[in-house]
Structure formats: C-alpha cells, structure tokens
Amino acid sequence: MKWLVLLGLVAFSECIVKIPIRRVKTMRKTLSGKNMLNNFLKEDPYRLSQISFRGSNLTIHPLRNIRDIFYVGNITIGTPPQEFQVIFDTGSSDLWVPSIDCNSTSCATHVRFRHHQSSTFRPTNKTFRIIYGSGRMNGVIAYDTVRIGDLVSTDQPFGLSVEEYGFVHKRFDGILGLNYWNLSWSKAMPIFDKLKNEGAISEPVFAFYLSNITMNREVIACSEGCAALVDTGSSNIQGPGRLIDNIQRIIGATPRGSKYYISCSAVNILPSIIFTINGVNYPVPPRAYILKDSRGHCYTTFKEKRVRRSTESWVLGEVFLRLYFSVFDRGNDRIGLAQAV
C-alpha cells in the first residue's frame, strides 16, 4: 500500500521520500536526540538528500525549524528548476509562491518565480485570494513541474502571488498546503492529491477527535468532547478565547501586547497540560508550552482561536507536534500519534 506519513513530512511510495525535522538556531534549548540519525542530522545537514539507504530506496530531505515558529523545506518549480522555501502546512490546501510580477514589499524580500525562464510553464487567467491568520495574498493559477525530493508532479496547478500583505521578512517564500482539496481557496488540485491520483503516494489526514484537556487532573476544556486540527502551519496551541484565558489564569500568565508572559522559573513548577485523544493521554510539559523571546522573557504558546464556530475546536500546532510523531493517513481518514524520541 502506498501512503504518506508526516514528521515534518515523510512520504512513502515506490521510492520513499523522508523529510525529518531538523532544528536550527532556535531561541530555546534543542531537545536532545539519542539515536544515530539525529546525530547525523546535526553533523551533515546538507548531504542528506544525496544519501541512499541500501535496500530501502530512502531519500532524506530536511526541514528547518525557524525560531520554533514554523518549519520550512525546499521544493523546486519549473524547468530548469527554481528553488523555494515553503511551509508544509496541514492547515491549508494551496501551493503558492511569489511571482516575479509581484511588487508588494513582502514579495521583494522573498524568492520570486520567473515564469519566462521555465519551458514547462503554462499560465491561466484564473485569480484567487487567501486570508491567513498572519497575512493574505492575491494570486493567479498557473501550471508547471513541481518537485519535492524525488517526487515529481508535472503540469501541477499552483498559485503565483501578485500581491502579499503580512509576510515581510518572513523566512519562507510560500506555502505548500496538505489539507483536503474541497477546502482549497483556489480550487486547484493540491499536489498530494495529484500525486495520489497518479499512483505515487496517498494523501495525508490531519483532523481527529479530541476527548478532553486536563491540568492537575482537572478538566479545563473539551468536557463534552470537541474537534481538533493538527496544524504544521501553526506555531501555537489555539482554542476558544474564554478557555485560553482560563489556562493563562491557571498558570499565572499576564498579557503584554499580543502575548501572555510568565516567569521563566515557572517551567520548573508548572504542571503539564494533557490532551486526551481517543482515551490516550498526550501531555505537553511546561518546557514545551513556554518559550523565550529575543529579550530572554518567557511567554506561553496558548492563543485564542479567532475563527468562531458553533462547536468547540482547537488547533494543535508545532508545540504539540514537536513532542509527538504524527502519521497522517488521509486515505483512511485517520492519524497515528507516538511520542517522539
């Protein structure tokens, strides 16, 4: 069976493409790994894509952790290939990069796609726009060859931004969405749906049922069950405002600007927050949900979820995913979680 697993991004097909998470200069201590692969990742980060594992056809393509906020990996578009750093985002469905025709300030700080230099480029007149929590973009749909490691999608629909707002100096060029096709803003076929249809891999799944959230054995959220989203494009744990405020109050965090700050010494005394999923507990300790800013001040990673829904819903971002290995199987609409080592 051909399927896809995400740890960062791990794709299984006739030839496995594995994209492990690699930490680079973050603002908090790197969690130490204890196996040979982790040591190799630290010592030889840029030779990984050239490694061949005998008998397994394994190719490794690393992601980079940018300040514990998001993970980016390299893809190429066009013929000859033009390289871009994109966020692999389970919370969205569209692939897009900046166009050379984009004159927004955000585009000027990123690599832009030069369509006239690609012999396989095919334009369209279809326009679309996407609104994210941190910014928005307007773009047009085009077709070209897209490569992720050894995976190649020819005549792949993707977006070219012609206007961007909110992404100035962000350390990524674009976004590669892993969500369901029917949630796409552009209505273009996502790359993994296309690869699945062509028999290369299956699709990832990202949503699951969350039973409850506890702290000190007390249920603090999801008392009657709720929905949750595992989102590689989010750096925080997000939930309804009143419940997030309750968590901030319990741990003693105080608001300052857009963040809630707390004494750094609290890491040693605060309890874990436990997410119970299908009867299994997944604790998130304070060392994971408390981070340091550039001035050395500590803040929490709990954030109000702005989208209003009739049912309680949560987003488990990188704070959660750094702790648990996640297998996304959208072919069977399920997800597997295991403690990361």
Side-chain angles (χ1 to χ4, degrees):
M1 182 173 66
K2 301 170 183 175
W3 52 302
L4 180 142
V5 182
L6 281 157
L7 174 60
L9 176 67
V10 186
F12 291 82
S13 62
E14 297 291 345
C15 174
I16 300 173
V17 176
K18 182 177 180 182
I19 308 180
I21 293 171
R22 172 183 174 267
R23 291 187 170 279
V24 296
K25 195 175 182 180
T26 65
M27 292 188 294
R28 66 188 180 98
K29 292 182 180 180
T30 301
L31 298 177
S32 58
K34 295 184 179 180
N35 55 49
M36 293 179 64
L37 176 59
N38 283 350
N39 291 335
F40 189 85
L41 285 169
K42 294 177 181 178
E43 296 169 5
D44 299 275
Y46 300 108
R47 289 177 44 225
L48 291 173
S49 61
Q50 303 169 8
I51 299 171
S52 175
F53 288 81
R54 189 173 300 173
S56 67
N57 293 322
L58 181 66
T59 299
I60 298 179
H61 184 69
L63 296 186
R64 290 178 174 82
N65 178 352
I66 306 299
R67 298 192 304 164
D68 282 348
I69 298 175
F70 49 80
Y71 293 87
V72 299
N74 292 343
I75 66 170
T76 66
I77 303 176
T79 307
Q82 299 176 39
E83 189 171 76
F84 300 88
Q85 286 196 74
V86 297
I87 294 178
F88 288 81
D89 182 14
T90 54
S92 64
S93 304
D94 297 282
L95 165 61
W96 64 267
V97 296
S99 168
I100 191 62
D101 295 326
C102 178
N103 295 317
S104 298
T105 303
S106 291
C107 291
T109 62
H110 299 118
V111 177
R112 290 177 285 182
F113 183 68
R114 292 171 167 78
H115 58 273
H116 57 277
Q117 294 182 4
S118 175
S119 62
T120 47
F121 177 77
R122 183 163 65 89
T124 76
N125 294 322
K126 183 179 178 182
T127 62
F128 71 104
R129 66 194 301 260
I130 304 177
I131 301 174
Y132 298 98
S134 58
R136 59 189 174 90
M137 62 81 71
N138 298 326
V140 296
I141 298 298
Y143 291 79
D144 212 327
T145 299
V146 178
R147 297 173 177 83
I148 308 171
D150 287 342
L151 296 174
V152 181
S153 178
T154 58
D155 205 35
Q156 170 66 44
F158 70 104
L160 286 172
S161 66
V162 293
E163 290 182 310
E164 292 183 18
Y165 304 94
F167 303 123
V168 177
H169 303 306
K170 298 292 186 181
R171 293 178 60 182
F172 61 86
D173 302 313
I175 294 176
L176 191 152
L178 301 170
N179 206 325
Y180 288 92
W181 187 357
N182 63 347
L183 298 177
S184 166
W185 290 70
S186 68
K187 303 307 177 185
M189 181 182 291
I191 185 168
F192 284 101
D193 291 72
K194 189 168 183 294
L195 289 169
K196 180 199 174 185
N197 292 345
E198 293 172 350
I201 59 172
S202 72
E203 307 164 60
V205 66
F206 64 93
F208 57 93
Y209 183 78
L210 180 62
S211 301
N212 59 58
I213 303 173
T214 60
M215 184 176 284
N216 283 333
R217 298 183 180 180
E218 177 186 352
V219 177
I220 58 175
C222 294
S223 58
E224 298 180 358
C226 57
L229 175 77
V230 175
D231 186 0
T232 57
S234 173
S235 59
N236 306 294
I237 291 176
Q238 301 178 34
R242 62 180 179 82
L243 298 176
I244 291 294
D245 289 344
N246 188 38
I247 292 174
Q248 307 286 23
R249 179 185 56 78
I250 290 173
I251 64 179
T254 56
R256 194 188 313 158
S258 61
K259 293 184 174 69
Y260 276 75
Y261 282 84
I262 193 168
S263 170
C264 292
S265 62
V267 172
N268 301 316
I269 59 175
L270 284 174
S272 295
I273 180 169
I274 299 173
F275 295 87
T276 303
I277 303 167
N278 290 338
V280 179
N281 291 337
Y282 297 90
V284 178
R287 62 174 171 79
Y289 66 71
I290 296 176
L291 302 180
K292 282 186 179 181
D293 64 18
S294 58
R295 299 171 297 171
H297 299 157
C298 289
Y299 65 95
T300 74
T301 55
F302 302 111
K303 187 176 182 180
E304 178 182 355
K305 191 171 183 288
R306 296 294 184 181
V307 178
R308 305 295 181 182
R309 296 181 183 275
S310 58
T311 58
E312 183 181 338
S313 63
W314 290 72
V315 173
L316 305 182
E318 303 295 357
V319 175
F320 183 86
L321 289 171
R322 276 192 288 271
L323 300 173
Y324 297 100
F325 176 84
S326 307
V327 179
F328 297 76
D329 178 13
R330 208 207 295 180
N332 294 294
D333 285 342
R334 63 185 180 180
I335 183 172
L337 295 169
Q339 187 170 359
V341 295

